[in-house]
Amino acid sequence: MMKKILFATTLMLACTLQGIVVGQTTAPARVLPSAKQLAYQELEMVGFVHFNMNTFTDKEWGYGDESPTLFNPVKLDCEQWAKAAREAGLKELILTAKHHDGFCLWPSAYTEHSVKFSPYKNGKGDIVKEFTEACAKYGLKAGLYLSPWDRNHADYGKAAYTEYYKKQLTELLSNYGKITEVWFDGANGGDGYYGGAREVRKIDKLSYYPWKEIREIVYRLQAEALIFSDAGPDIHWIGNERGIAGETFWSTIDPSGLVVGDSDSDYLNTGDYFGTKWMVGQCDVSIRKGWFFHNTDDETVKTPAQLVDLYYKSVGRNAVFLLNIPPNRDGLFADKDVANLKKFRQILDNTFKNNLIAGAKVTASSSAAGSDPSRVTDHRPDTYWKAGSADQPVSLEIPLDATKKFDRILLQEPVSEGQHIASFDIQILRAKGWQTIAAGTSIGYKRLLRITPITGSRLRLNIRQSREAPALSEIGLFKAAEGDINF
Ligand code: FUL
């Protein structure tokens, strides 16, 4: 509650300071997503595959001196990963082509620290190839993680290393078909093997990596790819590795203060109402305790209930859920992980299959000319209702079937028009009058609310603050299946 009051006060103060009155047409210029950001947000859930040398050495961060002879996933089956991911509803997989220890899952022409010098398929294997082919076969997008930090490379810390890095990036983006996301991790510099020097190497996060050139390589070779880092520019880290977006989350942000590897995690967690650039928030978390597979982590595999909870705290807060499923030493997702993913999917499908107000007639306190409020229940996210003016509050009313309880509420803004709503509440009409059952701040692409099961004869959504005339594409009411209601 304190947080909410603080947000409202900050918002009012900030509005006054900037000479902006929320709800009036003097709001700042509209900030909009690019077409590829919009499409990415609609994926909702994507997957991470941390699989590399660490899988064989039982580490999370290899030092860089691990022998390639240790790497041999005898039953490796990227199709098993792709199938499980697809069945779980993930729309893309991102593979750690190179993690901080520098070992490459593809036979790079620029290093001997790769699968080419491992027993895997007698040095003839190429896991990036197997991975991208499996993704294509199962209709998944394919993304790659290429760690900027390399604890194996002798030149790390010098300009020569960044040249090597650009060459590796070029290899990955030229030889494996369509790559839809490139993931730049923020961990950088420290102790390592560094070609035998075994020392600590620090880099200047502001100047060491030629990010401008690196980004140009990505967009030149893969025009449709999105770039992730804690400084974006297309997708930004959510500020924690627990998979949780801020209760208030704006897809807008001020990029000027963001530095790869050094951005303010609290700022990333909420985004910025006054932000001047659109960046999709991405919530990364592992299904297990570690990012890589460890036998000792079997007890830590997240339950379907925990995964569902994270879905509400990521997708349900206007961000994208990035779930890591680390393959074991055989090169397979473990049975327990696959089983929990399956149940997770079933719970979501059961919960959201039946919108209790689908097709309902909706009335609004104000509507723009020709804008039918019933578009919010037409089950078409591409159509939307828009209020007639920026005057607030604006209310929408929907008749309910009073015999049907609900405990999940969905709200969606048509973010192709930007993100505007900053405060809302929801009421239902019961025998004793209107009762407030939920309230929130930002909505964005998707806001999901969980409440105790309830019903009434009418539902009213009051939009209390919006930077311009508010618009909504969908409203849904759902009832979680018995047994699934606690998460
Ligand atoms: C972190 C890395 O240091 C971890 O090893 C992991 O890859 C995670 C997704 O990002 O910053």
Side-chain angles (χ1 to χ4, degrees):
M1 181 49 96
M2 250 335 269
K3 241 177 146 184
K4 236 177 253 164
I5 295 170
L6 199 67
F7 169 74
T9 320
T10 320
L11 189 62
M12 269 159 24
L13 187 70
C15 293
T16 317
L17 286 178
Q18 301 210 357
I20 295 158
V21 181
V22 172
Q24 295 198 357
T25 46
T26 47
R30 276 179 151 196
V31 182
L32 300 178
S34 64
K36 65 182 178 183
Q37 285 175 318
L38 205 56
Y40 186 80
Q41 181 100 45
E42 286 167 1
L43 300 181
E44 297 197 356
M45 295 205 294
V46 297
F48 231 163
V49 182
H50 273 68
F51 179 69
N52 205 297
M53 183 60 84
N54 292 331
T55 315
F56 296 85
T57 53
D58 212 13
K59 288 183 193 166
E60 279 291 304
W61 281 12
Y63 192 68
D65 60 354
E66 298 79 16
S67 166
T69 58
L70 297 171
F71 187 88
N72 196 13
V74 283
K75 295 183 191 155
L76 182 91
D77 182 1
C78 297
E79 291 195 13
Q80 185 245 11
W81 312 350
K83 183 169 178 286
R86 194 188 158 94
E87 285 173 3
L90 309 181
K91 300 286 167 33
E92 178 192 71
L93 283 178
I94 303 167
L95 175 68
T96 50
K98 178 180 93 167
H99 200 253
H100 309 330
D101 56 64
F103 185 78
C104 301
L105 293 185
W106 78 105
S108 171
Y110 306 106
T111 181
E112 299 195 344
H113 203 55
S114 82
V115 281
K116 197 155 103 187
F117 298 87
S118 80
Y120 180 62
K121 294 192 172 170
N122 294 319
K124 300 272 180 288
D126 182 342
I127 295 174
V128 174
K129 184 164 186 284
E130 291 187 51
F131 166 77
T132 48
E133 286 175 359
C135 287
K137 180 164 172 184
Y138 283 86
L140 298 176
K141 294 172 185 298
L144 294 172
Y145 172 122
L146 181 69
S147 170
W149 185 20
D150 189 323
R151 302 173 95 189
N152 172 265
H153 203 277
D155 289 331
Y156 183 79
K158 299 181 198 143
Y161 169 74
T162 61
E163 289 306 310
Y164 167 76
Y165 188 77
K166 285 189 281 179
K167 284 186 197 153
Q168 290 204 315
L169 185 63
T170 303
E171 273 183 329
L172 286 175
L173 300 181
S174 306
N175 302 333
Y176 298 97
K178 197 160 162 183
I179 302 299
T180 49
E181 180 168 350
V182 184
W183 217 91
F184 294 119
D185 187 67
N188 270 310
D191 62 337
Y193 173 69
Y194 304 127
R198 296 186 185 276
E199 60 188 11
V200 175
R201 292 195 183 165
K202 297 235 162 73
I203 53 110
D204 177 0
K205 288 178 179 161
L206 282 175
S207 62
Y208 182 55
Y209 295 102
W211 286 117
K212 192 167 170 292
E213 285 172 59
I214 292 171
R215 288 171 186 163
E216 278 165 11
I217 293 174
V218 175
Y219 295 141
R220 179 166 51 79
L221 297 173
Q222 297 281 345
E224 286 171 48
L226 291 105
I227 299 179
F228 164 94
S229 81
D230 55 351
D234 301 309
I235 306 168
H236 75 75
W237 185 48
I238 211 67
N240 62 64
E241 293 185 338
R242 291 175 292 115
I244 301 178
E247 178 67 50
T248 297
F249 184 70
W250 293 96
S251 299
T252 44
I253 202 151
D254 175 0
S256 64
L258 304 182
V259 177
V260 182
D262 207 17
S263 297
D264 175 349
S265 48
D266 289 341
Y267 184 65
L268 294 178
N269 196 242
T270 58
D272 185 350
Y273 176 85
F274 292 105
T276 51
K277 186 171 175 355
W278 193 277
M279 266 189 221
V280 179
Q282 186 193 71
C283 299
D284 63 333
V285 65
S286 184
I287 195 168
R288 291 169 166 255
K289 181 162 162 258
W291 289 103
F292 287 90
F293 186 90
H294 309 284
N295 273 326
T296 48
D297 282 356
D298 282 354
E299 294 312 310
T300 69
V301 178
K302 290 190 173 53
T303 62
Q306 287 172 312
L307 295 173
V308 171
D309 185 51
L310 288 172
Y311 174 83
Y312 283 103
K313 290 174 174 163
S314 54
V315 177
R317 292 181 181 177
N318 182 36
V320 167
F321 187 19
L322 170 56
L323 179 64
N324 178 61
I325 308 123
N328 58 23
R329 280 187 198 177
D330 283 340
L332 298 170
F333 285 175
D335 292 346
K336 186 169 178 181
D337 306 36
V338 175
N340 288 8
L341 281 172
K342 203 172 253 174
K343 178 72 182 146
F344 159 65
R345 184 71 251 165
Q346 276 169 9
I347 294 169
L348 292 182
D349 287 346
N350 280 338
T351 302
F352 293 107
K353 68 173 181 245
N354 187 16
N355 179 357
L356 298 172
I357 50 169
K361 175 115 188 76
V362 183
T363 50
S365 61
S366 122
S367 295
S371 181
D372 179 357
S374 297
R375 287 180 190 159
V376 302
T377 53
D378 67 0
H379 203 64
R380 284 185 54 187
D382 57 323
T383 63
Y384 61 89
W385 154 87
K386 186 169 174 138
S389 80
D391 293 345
Q392 284 145 27
V394 187
S395 301
L396 289 174
E397 273 193 41
I398 308 173
L400 298 180
D401 176 346
T403 63
K404 291 193 176 137
K405 288 188 174 179
F406 59 93
D407 53 15
R408 301 289 183 265
I409 304 168
L410 166 140
L411 302 170
Q412 293 192 274
E413 280 184 82
V415 284
S416 55
E417 302 296 318
Q419 186 185 353
H420 304 292
I421 297 170
S423 171
F424 67 89
D425 59 53
I426 296 169
Q427 300 174 304
I428 51 169
L429 188 58
R430 311 197 79 201
K432 287 186 186 150
W434 287 101
Q435 179 186 335
T436 302
I437 54 167
T441 52
S442 54
I443 295 177
Y445 165 75
K446 191 173 269 192
R447 163 68 80 172
L448 294 169
L449 301 144
R450 288 175 283 182
I451 58 168
T452 42
I454 198 158
T455 189
S457 57
R458 290 182 81 72
L459 178 123
R460 186 152 75 191
L461 167 68
N462 301 305
I463 300 167
R464 303 213 174 263
Q465 278 187 334
S466 177
R467 78 173 108 206
E468 60 175 65
L472 284 170
S473 53
E474 287 298 303
I475 304 182
L477 299 182
F478 304 90
K479 178 71 192 70
E482 288 309 323
D484 295 343
I485 53 171
N486 295 328
F487 35 87

